[in-house]
Amino acid sequence: MRVFWSSYAAPVVLYLSLLLSGTTVRLCEAACSSCVNELLPGQYYCDDVRINQHTQTADGCTEQGRVNVTCYAAPNVTCSCCASSGENCSFSKEVKCRYVNGQRYNYFVAVSLSLFLGMFGIDRFYLGYPAIGLAKLCTLGFLFIGQLIDFLLIALQVVGPSDLSEYYIPFYGPILNRTALE
């Protein structure tokens, strides 16, 4: 119950309090984009990212793995761009997302090709690596050792499509999320 309250109810309560207080919300101009850097987490809330039903990823995700969402300042919190007008403003913020190149590279197809036809390099041709695919074709998957290694790398999502997109997974399933210190 505690997770439900902190995850879902807090933005709803903030939005309802904005509506009930009669505060008008306006979109800040480009000069007022400083609200993103000015407000701390907890002083604003953002709309949920729209999810595409077919790819299970964010709509409008760019090749850089970013999508814009609309955020609103919390009640009784103002940023410098809207302080003079007394209105509560909204602003746009970039958040991370998974970029899939349409439905081009299916995870399950890549794993199946690697398991059954990996000795011929078909998995690497499918993912857009023709040189490695040709080398595997000429050497029978590097004497089947390369097939086993590629199967593990593709199944663990270490090797992905050559266009740096992520695998298309037709349902909310086994997606690997990498975390790293920046």
Side-chain angles (χ1 to χ4, degrees), residues 3 6 20 29 37-39 45 48 80 88 104 127 133-134 139 168 176:
V3 173
S6 63
L20 294 175
E29 293 81 20
N37 300 326
E38 189 177 317
L39 298 177
Y45 62 97
D48 290 333
S80 61
N88 194 356
R104 187 168 179 182
L127 293 175
L134 188 62
T139 61
Y168 155 68
L176 179 68

Side-chain angles (χ1 to χ4, degrees), residues 14 96 170:
L14 287 172
K96 285 185 175 182

Side-chain angles (χ1 to χ4, degrees), residues 58-139:
D59 274 339
C61 187
T62 62
E63 291 183 21
Q64 291 78 26
R66 299 294 209 185
V67 66
N68 286 327
V69 294
T70 304
C71 298
Y72 306 94
N76 299 324
V77 175
T78 57
C79 59
S80 61
C81 68
C82 300
S84 61
S85 65
E87 295 177 346
N88 194 356
C89 65
S90 65
F91 55 93
S92 182
K93 180 181 178 183
E94 277 191 342
V95 294
K96 285 185 175 182
C97 62
R98 289 182 55 247
Y99 172 70
V100 294
N101 192 358
Q103 296 180 8
R104 187 168 179 182
Y105 298 107
N106 190 322
Y107 172 72
F108 299 109
V109 171
V111 170
S112 300
L113 288 174
S114 181
L115 181 63
F116 298 114
L117 298 173
M119 69 197 83
F120 303 116
I122 304 299
D123 55 347
R124 290 299 188 135
F125 283 115
Y126 175 73
L127 293 175
Y129 300 102
I132 298 173
L134 188 62
K136 283 178 69 176
L137 176 66
C138 293
T139 61

Side-chain angles (χ1 to χ4, degrees), residues 10 18 34 81 133:
L18 273 175
S34 65
C81 68

Side-chain angles (χ1 to χ4, degrees), residues 14-48:
L14 287 172
Y15 187 70
L16 289 176
S17 63
L18 273 175
L19 288 177
L20 294 175
S21 66
T23 307
T24 58
V25 177
R26 69 176 178 91
L27 187 64
C28 290
E29 293 81 20
C32 296
S33 62
S34 65
C35 290
V36 176
N37 300 326
E38 189 177 317
L39 298 177
L40 300 173
Q43 294 180 332
Y44 63 91
Y45 62 97
C46 299
D47 291 339
D48 290 333

